[in-house]
Amino acid sequence: MSTHRNLANELARRFTKLMGGEATSGILLIVVAVLAMAAANSPLADLYHGVFHHRLTGSPIARLDSLHAWINDALMAIFFFVVGLEIKREVLDGELSSPARRRLPVLAAAAGMATPAIVYLATAGLAEPAQRGWAIPAATDIAFAVGVLGLLGRRVPASLRLFLLTVAIVDDLGAVVVIALFYTAHIELGWAMAAVAILGALVTCGRMRIAYTSVYILLGLALWFCVLNSGIHATIAGVLLAFTIPLRPLRGDSMALRLEHALVPWNSYVIVPIFGFANAGVALAGSGLSGLFQPVPLGIALGLFLGKQAGIFAAIVASDKLGFAPRPAGASWIQLWGMAVLCGIGFTMSLFIGALAFPQHPLLVEEAKLGVLAGSLLSSLLGYAILRLPPPAAH
């Protein structure tokens, strides 16, 4: 167990050093968001939208009839595959591997998903279709939040960084469950049964300790295709596949760790930036920033900026004071508040859920993007400012 854990740590250390530190991916996402907004509000706007949404007549898969669909349904399946590998590693061999370790992160993540949803519904209302966006402000973007922490360097204690990562991973698992349960409109039973059969074959391969990565990749592609045609969002296949990949060493090699660390650079520096550029561009013409005060974008922005920090920070305080689980060692209450504020950076997963929430209402999708960008920007600026404050004097 310690062998593959040390291997993972060494690979992560080398990768971080190679890419110039953990702030790099967060900075890249900021640049991508700015470029997308600039493109959507420039003379290139028609070209920008045309590239991603123009119908692809020669697409080999009928359901993926645009570049935007290929990005959101195929490329993002790889993103969710890596998320699934991270969740599995943490649950079996990481910060979520024991009840004592997972109490506070799970409680904080649950409160950090429920409170933004309540704030959103209180602002946007319960009427259709607006109420379908309740889950948009419930997600935290790991790359963005950790990127901001990276800019702060040693001002942030290691325990706080680890806690934020753990909360964000639990948050991602919650978002996956939400997508599967609440954003699946209709299920094609035949395709769903075929997906279950393939998933069973993958589980069997894991139990038989089959060590050939190609077997899992081929079955994983078949699983993705069946899930895509079943009506369940195709990215769920990425998570299900990840859960079947062996973590324990096979022939001295941990397949899950090897795949995770091979794909992390592609996730951080290719897949997520492409997704961000394709989805973050929102036209401000006609509404300007005043459009932010419409019910949907305002509910999302307030959910991310106020709901996230309120839910997570309140959960930490209550847990510590009631003796349920102590707060992270070495972190002051001010620093914990700053960390909770940073969890309001929603970018990748929030944009993704926004597209799922309003498939028949493109105007609401654009409004949701504006709310996500506004709430994430406010959270990053305030969180950074709080964590820049000098640590309290030791007594």
Side-chain angles (χ1 to χ4, degrees):
M1 182 180 298
S2 61
T3 301
H4 65 267
R5 181 184 298 173
N6 292 337
L7 173 63
N9 292 337
E10 178 64 16
L11 288 172
R13 184 189 66 79
R14 291 188 179 185
F15 170 70
T16 301
K17 182 178 180 180
L18 175 66
M19 299 309 297
E22 59 188 10
T24 309
S25 60
I27 294 172
L28 178 59
L29 287 185
I30 294 172
V31 172
V32 163
V34 171
L35 289 176
M37 289 291 290
N41 292 278
S42 75
L44 298 174
D46 289 341
L47 176 62
Y48 168 79
H49 290 291
V51 165
F52 293 112
H53 296 281
H54 180 73
R55 186 177 181 83
L56 298 176
T57 55
S59 176
I61 300 177
R63 285 180 175 267
L64 305 184
D65 58 357
S66 69
L67 182 58
H68 188 267
W70 274 98
I71 291 170
N72 282 27
D73 288 357
L75 203 59
M76 285 300 284
I78 301 174
F79 168 82
F80 278 86
F81 176 65
V82 177
V83 168
L85 290 174
E86 292 174 346
I87 292 170
K88 180 170 183 174
R89 172 172 49 79
E90 290 295 332
V91 169
L92 296 181
D93 197 27
E95 291 303 309
L96 300 174
S97 59
S98 68
R101 284 182 169 185
R102 56 178 169 252
R103 281 178 192 163
L104 185 56
V106 170
L107 177 64
M113 294 188 75
T115 311
I118 293 170
V119 170
Y120 173 86
L121 291 172
T123 305
L126 299 175
E128 288 282 359
Q131 65 92 15
R132 285 183 53 81
W134 64 270
I136 298 173
T140 295
D141 190 286
I142 297 178
F144 240 131
V146 174
V148 174
L149 286 182
L151 295 173
L152 291 160
R154 295 185 179 180
R155 290 175 179 270
V156 179
S159 61
L160 196 66
R161 181 180 284 101
L162 181 61
F163 184 71
L164 183 145
L165 281 169
T166 310
V167 170
I169 287 171
V170 177
D171 190 296
D172 278 349
L173 178 59
V176 169
V177 173
V178 165
I179 291 170
L181 294 181
F182 297 99
Y183 293 105
T184 299
H186 174 69
I187 296 179
E188 296 287 343
L189 189 58
W191 285 106
M193 291 177 64
V196 171
I198 295 170
L199 182 63
L202 281 162
V203 171
T204 301
C205 288
R207 291 187 178 277
M208 293 175 62
R209 299 179 65 80
I210 292 176
Y212 298 104
T213 306
S214 58
V215 172
Y216 294 89
I217 292 175
L218 290 174
L219 287 173
L221 288 172
L223 175 66
W224 170 80
F225 186 74
C226 290
V227 172
L228 173 69
N229 287 282
S230 72
I232 303 169
H233 201 273
T235 53
I236 299 300
V239 180
L240 295 175
L241 173 61
F243 288 169
T244 68
I245 301 296
L247 177 66
R248 300 294 180 240
L250 301 173
R251 300 179 183 174
D253 169 57
S254 171
M255 187 185 301
L257 288 175
R258 174 163 47 82
L259 287 173
E260 179 183 347
H261 290 284
L263 291 173
V264 161
W266 291 98
N267 232 21
S268 300
Y269 297 96
V270 179
I271 294 172
V272 171
I274 289 175
F275 169 82
F277 186 69
N279 288 272
V282 53
L284 300 177
S287 62
L289 291 178
S290 62
L292 180 60
F293 295 96
Q294 296 298 316
V296 167
L298 184 61
I300 293 170
L302 292 179
L304 286 170
F305 182 59
L306 298 179
K308 270 289 184 183
Q309 59 172 296
I312 291 175
F313 189 65
I316 296 172
V317 173
S319 178
D320 185 77
K321 299 302 182 184
L322 295 175
F324 179 72
R327 72 178 193 259
S332 68
W333 287 113
I334 292 293
Q335 289 173 325
L336 286 167
W337 175 38
M339 182 276 304
V341 174
L342 285 184
C343 287
I345 303 175
F347 199 70
T348 307
M349 197 71 82
S350 293
L351 289 174
F352 188 80
I353 295 175
L356 297 179
F358 309 116
Q360 306 302 321
H361 303 275
L363 179 59
L364 288 182
V365 174
E366 295 301 301
E367 289 184 354
K369 293 178 184 178
L370 188 59
V372 170
L373 294 172
S376 299
L377 177 62
L378 289 172
S379 297
S380 60
L381 292 176
L382 179 61
Y384 180 83
I386 293 170
L387 292 171
R388 283 278 301 179
L389 295 173
H395 295 287

